[in-house]
Amino acid sequence: MPVKKKPQRRSSCPVNVSLEIFGDRWSLLIIRDLMLRSYRTYKEFLSSDEGIATNILAERLQRLEAAGILTTSRDADDGRKVVYRLTEKGIDLAPILVELVLWSARHEETGAPPAAIRKMRAKRKQFLAEIRNNWEEGGTAVFIPGSRSA
Amino acid sequence: MPVKKKPQRRSSCPVNVSLEIFGDRWSLLIIRDLMLRSYRTYKEFLSSDEGIATNILAERLQRLEAAGILTTSRDADDGRKVVYRLTEKGIDLAPILVELVLWSARHEETGAPPAAIRKMRAKRKQFLAEIRNNWEEGGTAVFIPGSRSA
DNA sequence: TAGTTCACTTGCGAATTGCAAGCAGTCTTC
DNA sequence: GAAGACTGCTTGCAATTCGCAAGTGAACTA
């Protein structure tokens, strides 16, 4: 009997589908670190200001890999390190992150530098192109800094 | 001693700020129902396909009101009903929902009608204008249907 | 080869979630 | 105008998830 007990979705609404993949307090922060800060390793994610727990981080990285949003590989120079990278599916989340940033900057008090926000809003397409470009080149650009910056 | 024990944020990063407000599996579904389906009452939210629990719904509605994303009022014709409406801050979440929908439609299997998605992508600004317009008029338009549709 | 670093696991108490029931006000119907 | 139904919640409780601390093993470094 080929019964499908697959962890079926709550609904097929596109909003719900995306929430079931990254609708929690941590997933998009990891994606932010990968996309806007060019973080690549477990340790770097741990260093972010929000202070994610090690078990939560490990579980989220697994889920995001299973969802096809990121990939893992060993560092060629240091066999201890695991290198995480966004897939095309992952970099396509850029518009969502940009809108999150613009909404927060408009309606909440954030540490985002106003000049950066203005550029992001006025030259949205260009900003998205820069993010994608940096990703394609495997770059290390920082679009939104962490820690003592913003 | 004016000590501030306020529930301080994990960080002031704009991505984090927005996640602390609506970064869970349910908040954006309520906002979708308000914005894209013109739902207005507790019972209507309960009727959505995802099947939110009554206690969770009540708690999320409170949080969203406290965050200034929606307002409540009594129904003039039926004193039992509470009418929920998005604020300006709430309707400003539209671009985020649109990007969620576009991403899901592109990368996952969803029940969204392809024609609607194409329009949403090709005429994004117009679509956002229609959403806002409907909101300003207190309208009842349905942009993304539920239940047996999508 | 001893010590350190890195990427995780594991244990466990606390908080959050989901489900079922219950419960006040407010209609509606007769 | 009394009985019932409807609406918007609250309460209890079991189950899941979270967050913190500590531990583990493989890979580097001195």
Side-chain angles (χ1 to χ4, degrees), chain A residues 41-43 54-55 58 80-82 84:
Chain A
T41 63
Y42 189 87
K43 197 189 179 190
T54 58
N55 55 343
R80 292 171 302 181
K81 291 185 180 175
V82 175
Y84 296 92

Side-chain angles (χ1 to χ4, degrees), chain B residues 66-80:
Chain B
I69 287 172
L70 53 82
T71 58
T72 65
S73 60
R74 283 280 157 186
D75 186 295
D77 299 329
D78 188 338
R80 293 170 301 181

Side-chain angles (χ1 to χ4, degrees), chain A residues 104-125:
Chain A
S104 284
R106 178 185 296 256
H107 292 288
E108 299 283 330
E109 285 183 32
T110 75
I117 298 299
R118 273 193 300 276
K119 183 196 167 188
M120 204 180 290
R121 181 158 41 223
K123 302 184 178 179
R124 209 186 93 110
K125 284 191 69 171

Side-chain angles (χ1 to χ4, degrees), chain B residues 7-22:
Chain B
Q8 56 201 22
R9 286 173 172 158
R10 298 182 301 188
S11 87
S12 63
C13 167
V15 176
N16 178 62
V17 168
S18 55
L19 289 180
E20 290 199 32
I21 295 173
F22 52 79

Side-chain angles (χ1 to χ4, degrees), chain A residues 45-58:
Chain A
F45 299 133
L46 276 184
S47 78
S48 278
D49 285 347
E50 292 83 10
I52 189 171
T54 58
N55 55 343
I56 305 291
L57 175 57

